[in-house]
Amino acid sequence: MTKAIAPRSRKVRVLATLGPASNTADMIAKLFEAGADAFRVNMSHGDQVSKVAVIEAIRGLEKKYGRPTTILADLQGPKLRVGKFEGGKVELKTDSVFVLDRDKTPGDATRVELPHREIFAAMESGARLLLDDGKLVLRVLEHDDNKIVTNVEVGGPLSNNKGLNVPDVVVPMAALTEKDRSDLTFAVDQGVDWIALSFVQRPDDLWEARKLIGGKAALLAKIEKPAAIERLDEIIEACDGVMVARGDLGVELPPQTVPPLQKRIVETARRQGKPVVVATQMLESMIESPSPTRAEVSDVATAIYDGADAIMLSAESAAGKWPIESVAMMNAIGEAVERDPMHGDRIHFTVIQSDATTADALSEAAKNIARTVDAAAIVCFTSSGSTARRIARERPAVPIMVLTPKVETARRSGLLWGAYAVHTKDVDSFEEMVAKAKRMVLRHHLAKAGDRVIVMAGVPFKTPGSTNVIHVVRIVGDELKGYN
């Protein structure tokens, strides 16, 4: 039996990562009720078999709540790691010499294997190498095809297979590993809605993933490498959405540079009309505590004020002690920020220049008309979702109801600011369009008798990319008579 759930009162979306603390059907339903709009399945942990039940549980929400669900599969990417040590652990002393080489022999306090040939070829003298999430810092003294000699600038304990970051050099590695290709194929076969590609450095990194996806899912680029910042516009143009992945970005760059970069990435994505997710350590203390710090709340609020489409929970909802409370807190922060009378002004600090197309002109007009006539909602009929993205880019003050005959489009809209998607039959005439728009806003409690609603569509109907109609209607209140 379908359980009714009211539309979210906020427009920013909440993306919750699933994991050991939250991967049962019952817990996933509780996270949805607490405020999760979309779910991230992290392919870095666990095997593919375990993910099948998780994906099925997420899709089960559609029957239970009568709402499309959104699944993002996050690929691990080419994570760089050092080899193993004799005894499993060593202590690197500051100002000592430490060598990374291609010898598989277990390492010690003077050397260790680095099983990534590409790094040796791309290395430069003076470059920094960061180990264990930046806790240890090495500086390259000399290098050749078989070894990299470094000075330990910041020492400390180092154990087997710890991660390595190379912030100062573009490493010519494929964005997809063999594991990623397998996971991507699996995720697409399972019908996920978004594929997130990790450690993107350049637009070319997206091509193989795009080809393998074959149009069956949307592609999201994770911005977590300094090299990606240098070609940010091109990368965003080549994908369907982006994530500000502040974890690795904050390791490879000085932490104080991350906030302005976050704003730049959000602004660039918004200008291009691509959904943008802000992620990592948003409510980090809630992994252990039932309440966040004030600084964390302020951090989440800042992302919302910047106009991000979605805010993401990582370990807080995947492995923490308080997954439901973490989602509920994200939901509460979103609602509080969007009630702020200044919220509308702040999210429009980013000036959006509409493209010279009819659809863009109408989307901008819809936002302005909604404000002028105090409309309750904007309803758009769309097949591909492009009209919904254009309207969302304008950040209107009212909800965006996305009516689409394609369930894939409805599901992908879960990361889109302000979107409330409904999978429904297409319309054949102008009269049917108006009548259906009225019924849908009443049925889903987005408008009531006496409200005005703005309707956007393309004529001729059922023609993708033909958005050319904007119409203002008033709800009488009896439009549902005779309909179930």
Side-chain angles (χ1 to χ4, degrees):
M1 182 177 178
T2 300
K3 180 179 179 180
I5 186 167
R8 311 292 191 203
S9 61
R10 55 173 163 75
K11 299 178 181 67
V12 67
R13 307 291 84 177
V14 173
L15 174 60
T17 301
L18 299 180
S22 56
N23 58 13
T24 64
D26 180 61
M27 182 59 80
I28 291 169
K30 288 178 180 177
L31 294 182
F32 178 77
E33 291 184 1
D37 301 292
F39 297 93
R40 172 177 173 251
V41 177
N42 190 351
M43 303 306 293
S44 298
H45 305 294
D47 56 25
Q48 293 177 0
V49 174
S50 66
K51 302 292 192 294
V52 174
V54 174
I55 292 171
E56 288 178 352
I58 300 170
R59 290 295 185 229
L61 299 177
E62 295 187 340
K63 185 175 291 185
K64 185 174 183 178
Y65 298 100
R67 298 281 298 113
T69 56
T70 303
I71 304 173
L72 180 144
D74 194 340
L75 304 180
Q76 177 175 293
K79 186 73 175 178
L80 305 177
R81 299 183 186 278
V82 298
K84 291 180 166 51
F85 294 94
E86 188 74 44
K89 185 177 182 179
V90 298
E91 182 81 19
L92 299 192
K93 297 189 180 300
T94 300
D95 287 330
S96 66
V97 173
F98 188 71
V99 178
L100 302 159
D101 58 37
R102 296 174 61 185
D103 181 356
K104 295 183 182 298
T105 306
D108 54 30
T110 65
R111 60 153 296 278
V112 74
E113 179 197 8
L114 181 60
H116 302 285
R117 180 181 300 177
E118 301 90 340
I119 297 179
F120 293 89
M123 193 46 58
E124 297 174 1
S125 296
R128 290 171 300 148
L129 301 179
L130 310 178
L131 295 165
D132 194 9
D133 290 333
K135 297 183 180 71
L136 289 80
V137 181
L138 313 179
R139 183 77 63 174
V140 176
L141 300 175
E142 57 183 270
H143 59 92
D144 58 32
D145 291 342
N146 295 302
K147 68 178 184 297
I148 301 171
V149 181
T150 73
N151 177 62
V152 180
E153 292 192 343
V154 178
L158 183 63
S159 54
N160 292 344
N161 305 126
K162 283 299 183 181
L164 171 74
N165 291 84
V166 190
D168 301 332
V169 175
V170 177
V171 181
M173 298 181 68
L176 292 173
T177 64
E178 284 304 314
K179 171 179 165 54
D180 293 329
R181 293 185 185 94
S182 175
D183 287 341
L184 187 154
T185 300
F186 162 80
V188 170
D189 288 344
Q190 290 293 311
V192 307
D193 311 298
W194 287 84
I195 299 288
L197 190 61
S198 298
F199 303 112
V200 173
Q201 298 186 91
R202 48 193 175 264
D204 309 18
D205 291 341
L206 299 161
W207 295 347
E208 183 184 359
R210 178 76 77 186
K211 182 178 180 181
L212 291 173
I213 291 170
K216 295 179 181 177
L219 178 60
L220 183 141
K222 294 169 67 177
I223 308 299
E224 50 194 333
K225 301 284 288 181
I229 301 298
E230 297 174 14
R231 302 185 67 180
L232 184 62
D233 286 87
E234 299 169 78
I235 289 171
I236 294 178
E237 189 174 344
C239 64
D240 301 304
V242 292
M243 179 185 292
V244 189
R246 305 182 303 179
D248 276 275
L249 197 59
V251 170
E252 300 212 358
L253 290 168
Q256 67 271 19
T257 67
V258 175
L261 283 176
Q262 174 178 313
K263 291 182 182 296
R264 177 181 164 191
I265 296 166
V266 171
E267 180 177 347
T268 305
R270 285 190 58 193
R271 283 182 172 151
Q272 291 199 26
K274 304 290 179 70
V276 54
V277 181
V278 176
T280 318
Q281 295 181 329
M282 301 209 82
L283 298 177
E284 184 85 353
S285 66
M286 289 193 75
I287 295 172
E288 296 291 338
S289 169
S291 59
T293 67
R294 304 301 180 266
E296 288 168 341
V297 173
S298 181
D299 176 45
V300 174
T302 295
I304 299 170
Y305 278 120
D306 287 345
D309 289 81
I311 45 181
M312 191 183 98
L313 292 164
S314 300
E316 302 96 324
S317 59
K321 295 179 180 178
W322 309 93
I324 298 171
E325 291 79 1
S326 296
V327 171
M329 179 55 65
M330 281 289 217
N331 181 71
I333 297 169
E335 290 178 343
V337 169
E338 292 182 15
R339 283 196 300 268
D340 178 5
M342 294 302 296
H343 172 255
D345 293 333
R346 292 185 184 280
I347 61 171
H348 287 109
F349 282 170
T350 298
V351 178
I352 304 299
Q353 297 293 335
S354 298
D355 296 332
T357 67
T358 302
D360 278 287
L362 292 181
S363 297
E364 183 178 10
K367 176 194 70 174
N368 294 331
I369 294 171
R371 182 179 64 247
T372 301
V373 305
D374 194 24
I378 298 172
V379 180
C380 72
F381 290 81
T382 181
S383 176
S384 67
S386 63
T387 301
R389 290 191 297 274
R390 285 184 168 99
I391 299 171
R393 179 173 73 163
E394 299 294 334
R395 299 297 192 259
V398 299
I400 306 162
M401 174 169 258
V402 182
L403 300 181
T404 177
K406 292 188 175 181
V407 68
E408 297 85 2
T409 297
R411 288 168 171 169
R412 292 176 195 177
S413 299
L415 293 183
L416 196 60
W417 190 93
Y420 181 86
V422 177
H423 178 220
T424 184
K425 293 179 182 178
D426 213 342
V427 294
D428 295 305
S429 68
F430 186 87
E431 293 75 15
E432 186 182 358
M433 174 193 79
V434 172
K436 180 161 219 168
K438 289 181 174 183
R439 291 196 305 272
M440 285 298 185
V441 293
L442 282 171
R443 184 171 291 153
H444 293 270
H445 310 290
L446 289 175
K448 61 185 185 303
D451 285 341
R452 287 188 177 92
V453 172
I454 298 164
V455 185
M456 286 181 61
V459 177
F461 294 99
K462 300 182 180 179
T463 305
S466 65
T467 302
N468 56 9
V469 170
I470 187 168
H471 188 62
V472 182
V473 300
R474 185 181 289 275
I475 305 299
V476 175
D478 63 356
E479 287 86 353
L480 288 176
K481 286 183 179 179
Y483 290 87
N484 292 328

